[in-house]
């Protein structure tokens, strides 16, 4: 995709998908809970890569819905680890949509911060390995 698409330059979304009619609320826009699920999935991607294995979501520190998401929007989720503790990882997620209205526009629609915890096979917290190993 070209840099003229309105999305943040120089960053790659971890997840992209269309907003479809089965995920609407009574008002006809996309249900916030659907977006929260996508945010959780997106946030887990850099967390799993950095933790080099399984993680669980420990907390959703914040989630702000900035603009409604509409059916037909192409949703792009950006996520990055912003802080690493012993076994926890704080992840920032930004959600953008691209929409033809009727010209293509890109809108930042939500932002969130989540905490994931690296776990072992027994589901107990395990240390996050040092970066770049
Ligand atoms: C997350 C979980 C593994 C933490 O286990 P725990 O025994 O409480 O772990 P600890 O108290 O030793 O904390 C481990 C780390 O998690 C962090 N943590 C635990 N609960 C947290 C919370 N609610 N918010 C932020 N961080 C949290 C601690 O700060 C600690 O971080 P550090 O290792 O970087 O210092 C456990 O609570 C759990 O399994 N929760 C359910 C997770 C889940 O199923 N999520 C999906 C829900 S559908």
């Amino acid at each position: 995709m070209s840099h003229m698409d309105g999305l943040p330059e120089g960053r790659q979304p971890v997840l992209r998908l269309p907003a479809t009619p089965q995920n609407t609320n009574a008002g006809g826009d996309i249900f916030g809970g659907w977006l929260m699920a996508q945010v959780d999935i997106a946030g887990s991607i850099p967390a799993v890569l950095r933790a080099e294995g399984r993680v669980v979501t420990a907390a959703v520190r914040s989630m702000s819905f900035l603009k409604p998401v509409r059916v037909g929007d192409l949703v792009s989720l950006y996520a990055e680890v912003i802080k690493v503790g012993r076994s926890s990882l704080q992840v920032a997620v930004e959600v953008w949509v691209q929409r033809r209205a009727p010209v293509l526009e890109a809108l930042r629609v939500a932002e969130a911060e989540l905490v994931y915890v690296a776990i072992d096979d027994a589901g107990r917290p395990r240390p996050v390995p040092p970066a770049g190993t």
Side-chain angles (χ1 to χ4, degrees):
M1 201 171 283
S2 85
H3 64 281
M4 303 289 283
D5 61 11
L7 291 176
E9 265 185 61
R11 294 165 65 192
Q12 277 299 108
V14 295
L15 191 64
R16 303 188 79 185
L17 72 174
T20 52
Q22 69 266 38
N23 301 310
T24 50
N25 60 28
D29 286 329
I30 294 297
F31 168 51
W34 177 80
L35 202 59
M36 290 173 81
Q38 309 314 312
V39 163
D40 189 17
I41 294 165
S44 75
I45 293 172
V48 163
L49 291 172
R50 178 63 184 79
E52 299 179 24
R54 255 179 95 186
V55 301
V56 283
T57 312
V60 180
R61 282 258 179 259
S62 68
M63 171 97 210
S64 300
F65 299 97
L66 309 173
K67 293 194 172 72
V69 176
R70 301 204 185 125
V71 171
D73 285 355
L74 174 58
V75 183
S76 295
L77 297 104
Y78 297 79
E80 59 178 334
V81 174
I82 54 172
K83 196 174 166 197
V84 179
R86 196 188 90 88
S87 64
S88 66
L89 307 104
Q90 204 170 317
V91 177
V93 180
E94 262 183 51
V95 188
W96 287 70
V97 299
Q98 289 164 286
R99 167 183 307 164
R100 293 211 176 271
V103 285
L104 186 67
E105 59 180 11
L107 302 166
R108 191 163 169 273
V109 295
E111 59 186 13
E113 244 177 63
L114 301 91
V115 180
Y116 297 86
V117 174
I119 53 162
D120 62 20
D121 289 342
R124 286 182 306 247
R126 67 176 167 88
V128 174
T133 55

